[in-house]
Amino acid sequence: MHPFASYVLRKYYRETGWNEDNLYANLTRSSNALLDFSVPRGLHFSISKSPNSLFKTTYSMNALPSLNGSVGYIFTSCNLNVKGSGDVRFKDMVDRFKVFDQPRKPEGKEEEWLAGERIDTRDYLLYGRIYIPTGRLDALYSTRITPTLQGMVAAISDPRTPIMSERPRTHGPASNIMFSLQQDTGKWCTEYTWSAEDGMWGVRSLYNFGKVGHSPESLQTDGGKEGHASAGRRSSLKRVDEEEAMEGGLKGRVSLGGEFYFSVKEKSAGVSTGIRFTTVPDATPPSFQVPSSPSTAGPSSPRGPPSQPPTTITALFNPMLGHISGAYAARVSRDLSLASRFDFNVYSYESEWSVGAEWWQRRGKIRPPPLPTDASEPSSSIPDLADEVQGVDISLLWEGRLRNVLVSLGVVSNLSSRSKPIKSVGLELSYFSSG
């Protein structure tokens, strides 16, 4: 389950029109949601409050296995409509399988002028959290420099491990500061990073083949200008995923990316590359075609099952470490998604096979008429099976909503260990309110 701070950060990205799914770091997000989900450990409570649309506070406490807590504050320059835990869309609070729509070029906010002077400012987000009793401090600053350029500064301050100090690798994260510059043009998305802890420079890039989508505002504007004269021409346009008529196969788009990083302190470098195929979401009309007016949209028809199962296929390769990974994830029914992944090392011949599933259980709401997409109250039960050479690990996670509280219950077990088959059991309770 997403922490409240992560939920606010994603809400901020959506409000400012930034597409975080177009980053190379998120290339395998769809399969990771089913194979690498986070299971709570021990007993965890979190309470958050949104006094207004700009300022948020969050408090958390771990009761087991040790007693500790944290206090966090979030401030944004733009108004965010953050709902309470009883009203928030449940799918926005959990990692789940999802086929993302076309990448689009980000657009900046409208200019504001007063007396001949531009008065609008850049959007930004400030976040800080202090942990008790260790005194560790986490901070994040994100700002939109231009419509296609975003800058981020993330820092960790731990009084026990000052920055640039030597520390054993077994300890937790040391004090560090990292700068990141992200540029997204829709077709290309590039990220430049620098970390002060080990002097590491890195660059990641992702290229999307095919056409790039446009914002709904520009599509509606273009549709209004064309009018009825373009109706015949519009009907002859091809979908993004449409090819010559042929039987069988999946239709979609391909993304190719890679990363390179170099550590000045360690005198080492690394490189990796990846490719992703994802089916285009079935839409009627296609997502890049928006009717110019309701009269030209045609009669509405009930939306049936997609013509092809939503599918994501990814492959990663790290030539220096010799690591190869291939993953396949698909939604086989309305409430069931499956994924599998095979990892192999060409140097050590070690391999790992993982299988995961996601199942949604729905129930009717008693509250007043909601939107069609929220006509049910979903809860998920996500099993994951990892078959390793050393044994078999199984992780089970149940996430749901009980009244106004979000609940996450998980267990991790090792079937090959007779002395300790249960590794850990965890329960997480989250409540937040607005206004």
Side-chain angles (χ1 to χ4, degrees):
M1 185 176 300
H2 295 313
F4 179 76
S6 298
Y7 165 64
V8 174
L9 180 62
R10 296 190 178 194
K11 192 78 173 180
Y12 165 77
Y13 285 151
R14 287 195 295 266
E15 184 68 23
T16 57
W18 187 259
N19 183 15
E20 61 172 338
D21 300 317
N22 203 27
L23 296 173
Y24 177 77
N26 298 328
L27 187 72
T28 59
R29 170 173 285 187
S30 296
S31 59
N32 289 348
L34 278 67
L35 300 171
D36 299 322
F37 55 86
S38 175
V39 178
R41 305 292 177 95
L43 188 58
H44 180 80
F45 303 94
S46 63
I47 300 177
S48 306
K49 173 70 175 179
S50 300
N52 54 60
S53 59
L54 301 178
F55 184 71
K56 284 86 181 170
T57 60
T58 176
Y59 311 92
S60 65
M61 182 184 69
N62 294 318
L64 294 173
S66 61
L67 183 62
N68 55 71
S70 64
V71 180
Y73 300 94
I74 308 173
F75 181 82
T76 58
S77 61
C78 56
N79 297 324
L80 298 182
N81 182 20
V82 177
K83 299 181 180 180
S85 55
D87 302 321
V88 66
R89 188 169 181 259
F90 186 75
K91 289 187 176 182
D92 293 338
M93 297 302 301
V94 297
D95 280 326
R96 59 188 177 91
F97 172 79
K98 182 180 179 182
V99 174
F100 303 100
D101 204 350
Q102 289 179 267
R104 290 176 169 84
K105 183 178 180 179
E107 293 188 357
K109 62 180 182 180
E110 297 181 359
E111 299 180 357
E112 298 180 9
W113 297 83
L114 179 63
E117 295 183 0
R118 186 174 177 179
I119 60 174
D120 58 296
T121 59
R122 296 186 305 188
D123 290 322
Y124 63 89
L125 178 143
L126 287 171
Y127 165 72
R129 177 181 291 270
I130 185 171
Y131 293 85
I132 302 171
T134 61
R136 171 184 160 183
L137 177 65
D138 294 352
L140 174 68
Y141 172 70
S142 176
T143 182
R144 195 72 167 272
I145 302 175
T146 66
T148 60
L149 196 64
Q150 177 175 261
M152 295 181 63
V153 181
I156 299 176
S157 177
D158 194 333
R160 299 169 298 178
T161 54
I163 192 170
M164 301 299 289
S165 64
E166 297 289 340
R167 63 178 179 90
R169 290 295 180 183
T170 56
H171 288 182
S175 300
N176 186 26
I177 184 171
M178 186 179 71
F179 297 88
S180 175
L181 187 64
Q182 302 170 352
Q183 184 179 20
D184 185 7
T185 62
K187 198 79 168 178
W188 280 94
C189 184
T190 306
E191 181 181 15
Y192 308 92
T193 59
W194 178 77
S195 176
E197 179 186 3
D198 48 6
M200 178 173 291
W201 297 85
V203 57
R204 297 170 175 170
S205 186
L206 182 69
Y207 179 79
N208 299 290
F209 293 89
K211 297 181 180 179
V212 177
H214 303 280
S215 63
E217 293 79 2
S218 61
L219 290 172
Q220 293 176 0
T221 303
D222 296 341
K225 292 180 179 179
E226 291 179 0
H228 297 281
S230 62
R233 186 173 68 256
R234 186 185 301 274
S235 61
S236 63
L237 290 176
K238 285 187 176 182
R239 288 182 53 154
V240 176
D241 58 329
E242 186 176 353
E243 299 175 353
E244 297 299 329
M246 58 183 299
E247 298 296 332
L250 296 175
K251 298 179 181 180
R253 60 179 179 273
V254 177
S255 302
L256 179 65
E259 67 174 345
F260 174 80
Y261 49 90
F262 175 77
S263 175
V264 177
K265 183 178 180 180
E266 302 291 341
K267 299 296 189 297
S268 62
V271 62
S272 71
T273 183
I275 186 172
R276 177 182 64 191
F277 170 83
T278 179
T279 55
V280 176
D282 191 78
T284 306
S287 57
F288 73 94
Q289 298 181 21
V290 177
S292 57
S293 63
S295 60
T296 62
S300 59
S301 59
R303 198 171 191 181
S307 58
Q308 56 182 358
T311 305
T312 298
I313 305 173
T314 57
L316 299 175
F317 176 56
N318 189 321
M320 301 188 71
L321 300 179
H323 178 254
I324 301 176
S325 176
Y328 176 90
R331 181 181 292 117
V332 297
S333 69
R334 181 192 179 195
D335 300 325
L336 179 63
S337 300
L338 303 175
S340 65
R341 182 180 61 204
F342 183 76
D343 297 283
F344 180 75
N345 191 286
V346 298
Y347 300 141
S348 63
Y349 297 103
E350 293 182 351
S351 62
E352 180 182 88
W353 180 53
S354 303
V355 178
E358 175 186 81
W359 176 63
W360 288 81
Q361 182 182 4
R362 304 172 185 269
R363 67 184 182 191
K365 281 188 177 181
I366 307 178
R367 288 193 283 266
L371 295 175
T373 55
D374 293 337
S376 59
E377 177 75 17
S379 62
S380 65
S381 176
I382 312 175
D384 173 76
L385 173 64
D387 189 359
E388 303 176 347
V389 177
Q390 296 83 1
V392 178
D393 293 343
I394 294 182
S395 300
L396 296 174
L397 177 65
W398 181 89
E399 295 176 312
R401 174 159 41 197
L402 300 178
R403 293 185 180 273
N404 295 329
V405 179
L406 301 178
V407 182
S408 180
L409 176 63
V411 58
V412 179
S413 62
N414 184 5
L415 300 183
S416 62
S417 176
R418 296 184 179 180
S419 59
K420 190 178 180 181
I422 303 299
K423 287 185 176 181
S424 65
V425 178
L427 174 63
E428 180 180 353
L429 303 176
S430 178
Y431 172 82
F432 50 91
S433 61
S434 59

